[in-house]
Amino acid sequence: MRVALLSSLELLGAEDEGRRAFMRIGGRSVLQRQMELALAFGCERIACLSDSISPELMDLQSFAESRGTQFQIIRDARPLSGMVKSDDKLLVIGDGVVFDQSVAHEVLGEGRKVLTLPADRGVPLGFERLDRDRAWAGVMIAAGALVERLADMPRDIDPVSTLLRLALQSGSITAEVSAEMLADDSWALVNSSGSAAKFEKRWLAKAVKPASFAAPTSSIADRTALSVLKRHTRPQKAVRAGAAISIASLIGAAAAGWAGYPVAGLGIAAITWFSGRFAGTLSSIVSDGLEATRLNRWSAPGLSVVVDALIIMLALATVPPSKKIAAFFAVFMLLGLLRVLAAKTNDFSGPNLRDFFQDRGLLLAILCTAAAFGNITLISQAVAAILMLFALVRSLPSRITQV
């Protein structure tokens, strides 16, 4: 069996308040991020050192138990003897250590191992020195038998540091984490709000890239999600609120079209796109990393299909029966061209134009204005013609060079 030992004892620096383990990075606390590695590693039990039972720990206990893992809060090392057997593997993560999980998995592997950093780079950042050349990177896999030796030691020992020394003495191999991981802030020790902010900035840049300003609706939605993430203590609630607004506005837009107010429906549909994009982007960042549920990446195509179907329905509702075929053809061709151009950005353009072609909020604003003046078919035809000309012009150089 695999067991994890975490810690929430260390306080932040003098200029900050609170504990390292509860600093929030990208919508999740440092301790929750460590728990994600433990759960992904297959740990069936998690022990967390703490001198008090805080609301944050109770939330994390629920988080772990909802995934079928036992979570126990302990004050010292003595309860560990009842949780860890001699043939178990013990994953130990230092207080306040954050990292790229993919790198941690790759370096850790399966066997007993102590991860290290170059001392000259790690020690000034707060990592524990092992010897002249090495510092502990804050993660190790130790043999469960080492826990039994803790029972013979004083009650006030530091269990994490003691287990580290015992693991090294027992012959556990070491594996070095590249110093480049420290340089680009993808492996860090959170001992101040500044160090947390540096890691968060790098992690967010890797986790999500906001749409360019060429797609104004998507861009604003993505940046709103990032803003909420940094200020909201429970971003999951904002995700649920955004998704609820998206569904409610979708129903409202369809109902408006059915009731004879298709122009209003087109305006409401823009809210569907914006709120759905917001919820998807935010969810992609705060997802727990265990189920690979990147809502923004997986549901964005679904959201686009639903909004496209809604656009066609509302566009048809804006014209009399005699003109529905022409309106359908114009809007259908427009949406089809946008999809083709978005899929062919490597041939025709870069990512900025791809965002532009995918931004249904901007398209809805154009169509809503056109419908208000009774020209939705004409405007759809005109925009489709412009897109077709763009594609033809951009494809000409490649055709010439192939001759």
Side-chain angles (χ1 to χ4, degrees):
M1 186 171 67
R2 297 180 177 185
V3 184
L5 175 62
L6 312 179
S7 176
S8 62
L9 294 170
E10 296 292 334
L11 298 174
L12 291 167
E15 72 279 6
D16 299 307
E17 296 181 358
R19 297 181 183 271
R20 296 178 180 180
F22 302 140
M23 284 293 293
R24 301 190 68 81
I25 297 175
R28 307 200 296 282
S29 68
V30 170
L31 192 58
Q32 183 176 343
R33 288 175 172 275
Q34 295 178 349
M35 286 178 59
E36 289 169 8
L37 177 64
L39 294 171
F41 189 68
C43 294
E44 300 176 27
R45 294 177 180 173
I46 297 176
C48 183
L49 291 162
S50 177
D51 52 13
S52 63
I53 300 178
S54 63
E56 292 91 346
L57 285 176
M58 297 305 296
D59 287 344
L60 291 174
Q61 183 177 35
S62 300
F63 171 81
E65 291 177 350
S66 68
R67 286 155 176 77
T69 300
Q70 298 179 25
F71 184 90
Q72 187 169 341
I73 303 169
I74 59 177
R75 289 182 176 273
D76 52 51
R78 295 188 181 277
L80 281 176
S81 59
M83 298 179 63
V84 184
K85 298 179 181 178
S86 59
D87 57 346
D88 290 341
K89 286 185 177 180
L90 181 64
L91 172 66
V92 183
I93 306 178
D95 204 328
V97 178
V98 288
F99 37 73
D100 274 348
Q101 287 203 32
S102 59
V103 175
H105 279 292
E106 180 181 347
V107 180
L108 272 174
E110 295 291 330
R112 292 185 297 167
K113 194 173 294 185
V114 178
L115 300 190
T116 65
L117 292 165
D120 59 339
R121 302 292 297 275
V123 172
L125 297 176
F127 289 94
E128 184 175 351
R129 181 185 289 275
L130 298 178
D131 52 36
R132 188 189 68 176
D133 300 320
R134 300 176 301 172
W136 184 39
V139 182
M140 72 173 179
I141 300 175
L146 297 179
V147 173
E148 299 175 359
R149 298 168 62 178
L150 295 179
D152 301 327
M153 298 184 179
R155 195 181 186 93
D156 59 350
I157 61 168
D158 179 350
V160 172
S161 183
T162 303
L163 282 170
L164 172 62
R165 303 298 169 182
L166 291 173
L168 293 172
Q169 292 170 11
S170 66
S172 294
I173 63 173
T174 61
E176 184 172 297
V177 176
S178 171
E180 295 178 358
M181 302 295 292
L182 293 176
D184 66 5
D185 297 308
S186 55
W187 196 290
L189 178 64
V190 174
N191 49 21
S192 68
S193 58
S195 59
K198 285 180 63 178
F199 183 86
E200 181 180 62
K201 181 179 180 180
R202 186 216 60 84
W203 184 83
L204 286 176
K206 183 178 180 180
V208 62
K209 182 179 180 181
S212 70
F213 288 106
T217 310
S218 299
S219 176
I220 294 172
D222 290 349
R223 285 166 174 78
T224 301
L226 289 173
S227 178
V228 168
L229 178 71
K230 295 176 181 179
R231 300 180 183 183
H232 207 300
T233 57
R234 294 181 179 273
Q236 292 84 354
K237 290 186 176 180
V239 172
R240 290 192 289 270
I245 293 173
S246 184
I247 294 171
S249 59
L250 173 64
I251 296 172
W258 186 266
Y261 300 99
V263 176
L266 288 167
I268 297 172
I271 300 175
T272 300
W273 173 260
F274 179 89
S275 54
R277 176 83 185 198
F278 164 84
T281 298
L282 188 57
S283 178
S284 74
I285 304 172
V286 303
S287 60
D288 58 24
L290 302 173
E291 300 170 359
T293 52
R294 295 287 185 178
L295 183 61
N296 187 39
R297 305 296 179 255
W298 287 102
S299 73
L303 176 65
S304 179
V305 169
V306 170
V307 172
D308 282 358
L310 186 61
I311 288 173
I312 293 174
M313 185 199 81
L314 293 171
L316 293 178
T318 64
V319 298
S322 61
K323 297 182 178 181
K324 286 190 183 296
I325 294 178
F328 173 80
F329 183 76
V331 176
F332 183 80
M333 289 297 294
L334 172 58
L335 293 172
L337 278 169
L338 287 170
R339 287 184 171 274
V340 170
L341 290 171
K344 294 291 185 178
T345 50
N346 290 336
D347 298 331
F348 296 132
S349 59
N352 289 352
L353 279 178
R354 180 190 61 204
D355 293 337
F356 173 77
F357 296 138
Q358 292 176 335
D359 191 351
R360 293 299 183 265
L362 177 60
L363 177 64
L364 280 161
I366 295 172
L367 294 181
C368 183
T369 303
F373 290 96
N375 292 320
I376 194 168
T377 301
L378 178 62
I379 294 300
S380 297
Q381 292 170 337
V383 175
I386 293 171
L387 293 175
M388 181 65 75
L389 286 172
F390 169 81
L392 290 172
V393 170
R394 293 303 294 263
S395 65
L396 284 177
S398 62
R399 290 177 180 271
I400 294 172
T401 55
Q402 292 175 6
V403 176

